[in-house]
Amino acid sequence: MSLVRRLLAFALLLALLPVGSAFANHFDPKRKIRQADQARAKAMLLRTSDLGPGYTSGSSGGSAHLNCAPLDESDLTVTGEAESPTWIGGLTIIASYANVYTSVSDANASWRRSTSTAGRRCVATEFQRLAGPNGGRLVSLKELSFPQVAPRTVVYRLVFELRAQGSGSRLTVDLVALSRTRAQAYFLVGSVVSAPAKAEELRLARIVAGRMATAMRASS
């Protein structure tokens, strides 16, 4: 398998991780799905038409979890959840996710845990664990500077290396996370060779932020 194909396969593995909070975890929230909140979550997702030409959609969802106690949401409740297909276009992979919580308090608690120092450390450890059997290693996980397009906005960049191919074989994955009232929405952009383009991520973030604001306008 060529280097590019191996990197894309690894990016696809990451994109298929189910995202419940800013990073997926084994301590899942309770699910009490409401039709209206389910519709709100779906409305926030990116769509194929947002991505421009050259993208094809594939599977959504996965079975792996990050086992991070600092991200434990078993005391919280989700009333709406949705995820997009995973799109592949050239050397880039994109996937989109959204959750609606039963209350602003639950959504805020999820956000605090997801963005905590302890949460980031655990996530780094877990991604290192997941990368190893797939021939990779996590090089770095850091927060990036990014415009505040929603009331709460954060972007994390994960850089992976495929050990078998030497230090030049890198995959960069950016996770853009947004939150408003009871809602959280995320999208992942993974790129081989070069890092994802910030201008394009900002364009997509503004689309998601706008849909989130519309979806939650009539929400209590």
Side-chain angles (χ1 to χ4, degrees):
M1 182 183 291
S2 72
L3 169 59
V4 169
R5 287 178 63 195
R6 289 189 64 198
L7 285 165
L8 284 173
F10 188 49
L12 183 60
L13 169 69
L14 298 176
L16 292 179
L17 287 171
V19 176
S21 55
F23 292 99
N25 66 87
H26 183 62
F27 303 95
D28 297 323
K30 295 182 285 291
R31 297 175 72 255
K32 294 184 178 179
I33 301 301
R34 303 171 187 161
Q35 185 175 356
D37 283 347
Q38 190 73 351
R40 289 184 177 102
K42 289 180 179 179
M44 298 176 208
L45 297 176
L46 289 172
R47 304 162 191 167
T48 303
S49 57
D50 299 326
L51 307 182
Y55 281 90
T56 58
S57 61
S59 303
S60 62
S63 59
H65 285 268
L66 303 186
N67 299 302
C68 286
L71 305 186
D72 184 359
E73 294 197 5
S74 58
D75 59 325
L76 308 179
T77 301
V78 165
T79 52
E81 57 185 7
E83 58 184 292
S84 73
T86 298
W87 294 282
I88 301 178
L91 303 180
T92 300
I93 285 183
I94 298 176
S96 176
Y97 316 85
N99 282 343
V100 178
Y101 286 82
T102 190
S103 66
V104 173
S105 176
D106 274 21
N108 289 345
S110 169
W111 186 267
R112 286 194 302 270
R113 296 170 197 179
S114 297
T115 57
S116 68
T117 300
R120 285 174 58 181
R121 287 173 179 166
C122 185
V123 164
T125 298
E126 283 295 285
F127 269 118
Q128 195 71 270
R129 177 182 66 82
L130 289 170
N134 293 282
R137 72 179 183 93
L138 177 65
V139 176
S140 64
L141 188 166
K142 64 181 180 180
E143 183 177 345
L144 301 182
S145 174
F146 200 82
Q148 188 173 338
V149 298
R152 289 181 293 275
T153 305
V154 69
V155 179
Y156 294 109
R157 171 165 291 177
L158 300 94
V159 178
F160 296 90
E161 180 179 89
L162 289 185
R163 291 190 300 261
Q165 297 295 328
S167 60
S169 53
R170 297 220 167 174
L171 163 70
T172 302
V173 178
D174 287 353
L175 182 72
V176 180
L178 313 174
S179 181
R180 173 185 290 272
T181 62
R182 297 189 294 118
Q184 296 181 6
Y186 317 88
F187 64 90
L188 172 156
V189 181
S191 184
V192 175
V193 181
S194 60
K198 183 175 180 178
E200 178 63 5
E201 290 181 339
L202 179 56
R203 184 185 70 83
L204 296 177
R206 285 174 171 152
I207 290 172
V208 173
R211 288 176 182 160
M212 177 186 290
T214 299
M216 302 309 294
R217 188 170 295 141
S219 169
S220 59

